Amino acid sequence: MRLFLQIVTSLLLLGYPLAVYFGLNYLPAGTIAMVLCFILILRLLIQKQQVKAMILPIIVGIGLTAASFIAKQHDWLLYYPVVINLSMLILFAYSLKLGPSMIEKLARLKEPNLPDEAIPYLKKVTLIWCGLFVFNGSVALYTANFSSLEIWTLYNGLIAYLLIGSLLGGEWLYRTIWLKKS
């Protein structure tokens, strides 16, 4: 049951920008803030220790959604993508400082005995991810402060995911085609 709830809450939180957009446009005031707050509380309660780093962004998300509901201002809801990008940036950058890099940790899940030559490459990929989180977080902050809800939703609910998918796919393509040639 816990795994099912983790999957459901993860999928719901991936759709956060779309939920905000539709909730603000089609639901009574405050409803979407309350629903998102409930989903985040549920996520916090079922969160296992293996992803401790994601507990703080969930707590901040609960604070943002609760503040939005209490203050009756939807603006608070728009900052959650900023929090997520900042959290991921801190997580990835911290791994660069202390080692092993986040991408190395993820790579070792599939291939525990990585060659030493792979480590600098994996650090560079982690650094590229940090750059993406800086960019995404900056644009998320800009759209939250200076654009319409439609632009905010377009960026945070589609374009940001396309950028993440492009980096994932591009890195995979580079690693499987060009690195295997050398």
Side-chain angles (χ1 to χ4, degrees), residues 115-146:
D116 289 339
E117 307 85 54
I119 306 308
Y121 171 76
L122 297 171
K123 282 184 180 178
K124 287 178 187 172
V125 173
T126 302
L127 191 58
I128 291 169
W129 275 101
C130 288
L132 180 64
F133 295 133
V134 167
F135 179 79
N136 266 347
S138 299
V139 176
L141 183 61
Y142 178 84
T143 59
N145 287 326
F146 304 112

Side-chain angles (χ1 to χ4, degrees), residues 20 37 56 84 93 124 126 148 150 152 156:
V20 168
C37 189
L56 183 59
I84 294 298
K124 287 178 187 172
T126 302
S148 67
E150 290 77 14
W152 177 87
N156 293 288

Side-chain angles (χ1 to χ4, degrees), residues 31-63:
T31 304
I32 194 61
M34 189 172 47
V35 168
L36 291 170
C37 189
F38 173 75
I39 292 169
L40 286 162
I41 290 170
L42 181 60
R43 181 68 184 179
L44 181 64
L45 293 174
I46 62 171
Q47 186 70 42
K48 286 197 169 191
Q49 294 292 35
Q50 72 239 89
V51 193
K52 285 185 200 177
M54 291 312 290
I55 290 175
L56 183 59
I58 292 171
I59 291 171
V60 173
I62 292 167

Side-chain angles (χ1 to χ4, degrees), residues 27 96-97 108 127 143 149 171 178:
L27 295 175
L96 282 171
K97 181 177 170 74
R108 287 192 185 278
L127 191 58
T143 59
L149 180 60
E171 192 279 327
W178 285 277

Side-chain angles (χ1 to χ4, degrees), residues 2 6 11 25 33 49 52 81 91 93 96-97 106 115 118 123 137 143 151-152 161 163 165 169 179-180:
R2 179 181 287 250
Q6 284 178 318
L11 291 173
N25 282 309
Q49 294 292 35
K52 285 185 200 177
L91 184 65
L96 282 171
K97 181 177 170 74
L106 294 171
K123 282 184 180 178
T143 59
I151 298 296
W152 177 87
Y161 290 131
L163 291 172
L179 284 183
K180 298 238 176 176

